[in-house]
Amino acid sequence: MIKTVKFFVIAAISISACMVNAAEVNVYSARKEALIKPALDDFAKQTGIQVNLITGNADALISRIKSEGKFSPADILLTTDAGRLVRAKQLGLTQGYTSDTVKNVVPSALRDTQGHWFALTMRARPIMVIKGSQQATQQIDYETLAKPDLNGKVCVRSSSNIYNQSMLSARIHQLGAESTEQFVKGLVRNFARPPKGGDRDQIKAMVAGQCQYAIANTYYLAGMLESNDPAEVKVAEQVKVLWPNQDNRGTHVNISGAALMQYAPNTEAAKQLLDFLLSEKSQSWYAEVNHEYPVRDGVAWSQVLTDMGQFKSEVVPLEKVGELNADAVKLMDRAGWK
């Protein structure tokens, strides 16, 4: 009898050891592998928890999790833009999670009030011009780009882009739908060409002389400045960042963020990873490699972002930005923004 008990004790210890060694977390990421995997590898090394990474298009990942339903292996969604995080919550794909780390590190405006998502980094969407040009000496607001004397002088990507949608959602929240629609109508009249391509394409078009102003996220310009392509670096070196609306509501800022999935099979490991991504080391890595602004106070910006200058950012509850996304899209359609 004693031998039997001993056998079961040893067996139980062996099973427990296997369970510890088998700890894992499944991450669905809209970030490219090179822009997130080193941080996940660091987490795995420190904790012994295996991280299984699936990358893909942000909207496609949300659709995939929805279709997988309660059988989804996804523990964490890492994605870009508050609008997508709000959409995931609205679809019932997320669950609330608020640790002391999240509360202490992430400003309240950058997280869901019920804890369903929070920001990992911030991304600014300013106006860009050519260095040494007349435009480079201006103090500017977004509204400047809608003035009649700038006809044919603005480059920006399409209305289907969620960065533009969120920029206008934030404006609707701040200044109202009617004011925003008038602004968009004026902006569309000033397009230098039908919107096409990504943010880098707007910058390249401006340097090529197709327009005088481009709206783009700073990390795209930063990526061009540190590109392995000499031609791309040459283009980026000609660009100056103008920080709009510094005398009023501030420059539009969005986020990359994270959410704990509703049916996460590895909840505890997922929570550990979420807190890890807010650690000083992870935040510093994000800043240096991805050239995004850390949400953790006291973490230094990359030198490239520092060189672009300090700025006043708008303060808008990003939860509201996501909720107003549909209104922004309808408004853009009415104004003729293709």
Side-chain angles (χ1 to χ4, degrees):
M1 183 66 180
I2 294 174
K3 289 183 180 180
T4 305
V5 171
K6 184 177 180 181
F7 170 78
F8 281 118
V9 169
I10 293 172
I13 292 172
S14 299
I15 292 170
S16 296
C18 289
M19 288 176 68
V20 170
N21 292 334
E24 63 179 3
V25 59
N26 302 315
V27 177
Y28 283 29
S29 173
R31 308 303 304 264
K32 293 180 180 178
E33 184 171 319
L35 299 180
I36 187 60
K37 193 171 187 300
L40 301 180
D41 288 345
D42 191 24
F43 170 78
K45 183 178 179 181
Q46 289 191 32
T47 64
I49 297 173
Q50 178 180 323
V51 181
N52 305 312
L53 177 64
I54 294 175
T55 60
N57 173 273
D59 296 321
L61 287 175
I62 291 174
S63 296
R64 174 173 174 170
I65 295 169
K66 181 183 178 183
S67 66
E68 290 170 343
K70 63 177 63 178
F71 301 106
S72 176
D75 293 304
I76 292 173
L77 173 66
L78 300 179
T79 192
T80 54
D81 195 275
R84 291 190 175 108
L85 290 162
V86 170
R87 186 184 309 157
K89 178 186 176 182
Q90 291 173 337
L91 290 171
L93 306 181
T94 60
Q95 61 173 293
Y97 171 63
T98 304
S99 65
D100 289 340
T101 299
V102 173
K103 288 188 288 186
N104 292 334
V105 171
V106 185
S108 59
L110 302 181
R111 50 187 162 95
D112 177 60
T113 54
Q114 296 176 316
H116 282 249
W117 54 264
F118 59 84
L120 293 172
T121 65
M122 295 177 288
R123 321 159 129 214
R125 192 162 183 75
I127 297 167
M128 301 183 187
V129 297
I130 301 295
K131 287 180 179 177
S133 66
Q134 181 182 352
Q135 293 75 34
T137 63
Q138 287 181 293
Q139 284 190 324
I140 198 169
D141 289 346
Y142 290 110
E143 289 70 26
T144 306
L145 302 185
K147 291 184 176 179
D149 59 336
L150 294 189
N151 185 262
K153 296 181 179 179
V154 179
C155 286
V156 65
R157 64 200 291 180
S158 75
S159 63
S160 63
N161 173 248
I162 199 161
Y163 304 149
N164 287 332
Q165 293 170 9
S166 289
M167 182 177 69
L168 293 184
S169 297
R171 195 185 190 283
I172 291 171
H173 177 74
Q174 293 167 306
L175 302 176
E178 184 176 345
S179 170
T180 302
E181 185 158 359
Q182 292 306 309
F183 160 68
V184 174
K185 286 179 179 178
L187 182 65
V188 169
R189 285 194 296 267
N190 290 342
F191 284 175
R193 59 179 188 167
K196 61 180 179 179
D199 279 10
R200 293 184 188 219
D201 296 302
Q202 314 314 313
I203 295 169
K204 291 174 181 178
M206 180 181 68
V207 172
Q210 296 182 36
C211 54
Q212 294 180 359
Y213 303 88
I215 301 175
N217 286 357
T218 48
Y219 65 87
Y220 285 112
L221 179 61
M224 293 173 71
L225 287 166
E226 296 204 336
S227 173
N228 293 323
D229 182 353
E232 200 164 67
V233 175
K234 185 177 179 180
V235 167
E237 288 176 340
Q238 300 176 59
V239 176
K240 179 180 179 179
V241 172
L242 297 183
W243 299 106
N245 298 84
Q246 293 303 282
D247 292 332
N248 43 75
R249 68 183 189 277
T251 298
H252 174 64
V253 169
N254 210 307
I255 63 169
S256 73
L260 179 63
M261 295 296 93
Q262 175 67 32
Y263 299 108
N266 305 291
T267 306
E268 292 309 312
K271 290 177 179 179
Q272 287 186 58
L273 177 53
L274 289 171
D275 283 356
F276 176 83
L277 293 174
L278 292 172
S279 68
E280 188 171 345
K281 184 177 181 181
S282 295
Q283 288 282 295
S284 181
W285 181 85
Y286 259 116
E288 287 296 330
V289 176
N290 295 352
H291 300 295
E292 298 180 38
Y293 300 95
V295 296
R296 190 182 186 101
D297 191 33
V299 175
W301 299 358
S302 72
Q303 188 59 51
V304 176
L305 290 186
T306 300
D307 291 343
M308 292 180 190
Q310 299 286 323
F311 65 99
K312 172 186 173 182
S313 63
E314 66 183 8
V315 180
V316 178
L318 289 180
E319 189 173 15
K320 297 297 182 183
V321 172
E323 290 171 359
L324 288 167
N325 178 269
D327 293 341
V329 171
K330 292 174 185 176
L331 184 153
M332 295 165 92
D333 288 344
R334 289 196 299 270
W337 188 336
K338 303 300 184 184

